[in-house]
Amino acid sequence: CPAPADLRPANGTRVCAQLYADDSPYYDQCCAGDVLVVLPDSDVPYMPRGWSDRASSLVVGTKCELTVWSRRAKKGNSRRFNA
């Protein structure tokens, strides 16, 4: 997985988090497959099409916090992640 400080695409803009579709019990094989990029100050009450119950690993950038909910529209239990 990338280090939290390395979450920057080629154009250099800041990325707050990346969610990955594939995971593995072997650390060197985690953070694979499709990637969902979360930009700073994003407020997304619904997962994009095809991502519901799909994210299996994530990396949160430095100075960022990612809050996720167990149900759609920011309902249910929440959990916060940071670098």
Side-chain angles (χ1 to χ4, degrees), residues 4-74:
D6 294 337
L7 290 187
R8 293 185 186 276
N11 66 6
T13 58
R14 187 167 177 228
V15 172
C16 272
Q18 289 185 174
L19 285 72
Y20 298 88
D22 296 342
D23 193 12
S24 171
Y26 302 102
Y27 183 77
D28 62 339
Q29 297 174 19
C30 287
C31 301
D34 293 333
V35 178
L36 178 62
V37 174
V38 180
L39 299 175
D41 300 317
S42 294
D43 185 10
V44 183
Y46 300 94
M47 290 295 282
R49 179 172 278 248
W51 276 92
S52 182
D53 293 327
R54 188 166 175 219
S56 61
S57 53
L58 61 89
V59 176
V60 178
T62 55
K63 299 181 183 178
C64 284
E65 183 176 80
L66 176 70
T67 303
V68 297
W69 286 264
S70 61
R71 301 187 55 159
R72 54 192 275 167
K74 297 183 181 180

